[in-house]
């Protein structure tokens, strides 16, 4: 079968794993411990960013670098405990999509802003590690999303041209990275609804991964 793409590049948090809500909960708990008011705008501004970019974002948002570092340290510790001891929920449809890709022999890789040590825990404990021989983490590229480095690196690992890859993303920052890499982006929004300009840039915007699979089968 001739397809219009050679490989699939997957974001992780918010796309395959329902972990963005866990991260937000950890940040809110940390804020309560430290007496910092955490609002929705602050949380949504961090979706899709690497840990380092999140820290810089919080420092600017709070206008206080020391407080930002304390918040990140406390929230990351709480988040890590959640990942190690609580169930890591999967996004509906991801197993069916990955089973299809595996059965079709489609090359695939994970490209996540999450640090390697944490990404490995998430993929292992969620059971998704078995689907991926290749993964790129946020601390393994010079520039993280919304820059294209991580998707360019993922395509290179698979020996695929970026323009022949389809990126699956949930966040605007991730979509920017995929578009900048020259790939087509299939957007499956999680916490943030895309703007009309972002919708126009996407190959398609799907309500869930079941819809994404239906589209991929047709390409």
């Amino acid at each position: 079968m001739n397809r219009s793409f050679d490989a699939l590049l997957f974001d992780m948090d918010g796309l395959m794993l329902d972990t963005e809500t866990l991260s937000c909960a950890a940040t809110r708990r940390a804020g309560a411990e430290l007496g910092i008011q955490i609002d929705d705008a602050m949380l949504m501004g961090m979706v899709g960013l690497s840990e380092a970019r999140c820290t810089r974002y919080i420092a600017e948002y709070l206008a206080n670098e020391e407080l930002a570092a304390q918040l990140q340290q406390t929230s990351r510790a709480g988040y890590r405990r959640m990942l190690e001891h609580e169930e890591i929920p999967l996004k509906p449809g991801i197993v069916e999509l990955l089973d299809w890709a595996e059965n079709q022999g489609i090359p695939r890789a994970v490209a996540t802003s999450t640090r390697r040590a944490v990404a490995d825990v998430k993929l292992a404990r969620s059971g998704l590690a078995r689907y991926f021989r290749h993964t790129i983490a946020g601390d393994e590229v010079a520039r993280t999303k919304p820059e294209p480095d991580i998707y360019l690196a993922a395509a290179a690992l698979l020996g695929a041209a970026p323009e022949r890859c389809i990126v699956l993303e949930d966040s605007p920052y991730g979509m920017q990275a995929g578009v900048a890499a020259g790939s087509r982006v299939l957007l499956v929004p999680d916490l943030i609804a895309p703007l009309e300009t972002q919708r126009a840039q996407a190959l398609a915007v799907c309500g869930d991964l079941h819809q994404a699979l239906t589209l991929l089968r047709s390409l």
Side-chain angles (χ1 to χ4, degrees):
M1 177 179 177
N2 292 323
R3 296 189 184 86
S4 65
F5 63 93
D6 295 333
L8 297 173
L9 308 180
F10 291 82
D11 176 48
M12 184 176 66
D13 295 288
L15 186 278
M16 298 195 296
L17 304 179
D18 195 8
T19 43
E20 293 291 8
T21 52
L22 297 182
S23 179
C24 288
T27 302
R28 288 190 187 279
R29 290 178 190 174
E33 287 181 32
L34 297 170
I36 302 171
Q37 181 65 38
I38 307 296
D39 57 32
D40 291 342
M42 176 179 162
L43 292 172
M44 294 304 100
M46 294 188 287
V47 174
L49 293 180
S50 67
E51 186 173 324
R53 284 183 183 264
C54 281
T55 301
R56 291 196 295 272
Y57 171 85
I58 294 170
E60 292 177 4
Y61 197 92
L62 299 177
N64 188 318
E65 290 186 6
E66 183 177 351
L67 203 58
Q70 291 176 354
L71 179 64
Q72 274 292 76
Q73 182 178 8
T74 304
S75 65
R76 291 303 93 186
Y79 185 47
R80 184 65 182 261
R81 287 192 296 271
M82 294 167 75
L83 294 176
E84 291 176 345
H85 300 292
E86 298 180 18
E87 179 184 0
I88 299 178
L90 300 178
K91 297 292 283 188
I94 187 56
V95 171
E96 292 87 343
L97 197 161
L98 290 173
D99 280 339
W100 171 79
E102 187 172 68
N103 290 335
Q104 296 295 312
I106 299 171
R108 55 202 175 274
V110 175
T112 176
S113 295
T114 300
R115 289 183 296 113
R116 166 60 63 189
V118 180
D120 285 347
V121 169
K122 290 179 178 181
L123 290 171
R125 292 205 65 244
S126 67
L128 296 187
R130 68 185 182 89
Y131 290 103
F132 297 99
R133 291 178 55 198
H134 302 287
T135 60
I136 292 286
D139 53 351
E140 296 171 339
V141 292
R143 303 176 302 169
T144 53
K145 302 173 187 178
E147 303 299 332
D149 301 33
I150 202 160
Y151 282 119
L152 293 173
L157 270 181
L158 297 176
E163 61 271 18
R164 292 284 300 175
C165 294
I166 291 181
V167 165
L168 288 94
E169 267 286 355
D170 70 287
S171 74
Y173 285 128
M175 180 176 167
Q176 287 179 48
V179 170
S183 302
R184 288 176 291 168
V185 180
L186 189 53
L187 194 61
V188 188
D190 181 29
L191 298 182
I192 301 176
L195 302 173
E196 286 305 314
T197 53
Q198 294 163 344
R199 286 179 173 272
Q201 286 184 300
L203 170 64
V205 179
C206 296
D208 57 29
L209 291 168
H210 294 294
Q211 289 185 16
L213 174 55
T214 298
L215 177 62
L216 289 171
R217 287 179 186 272
S218 70
L219 295 178

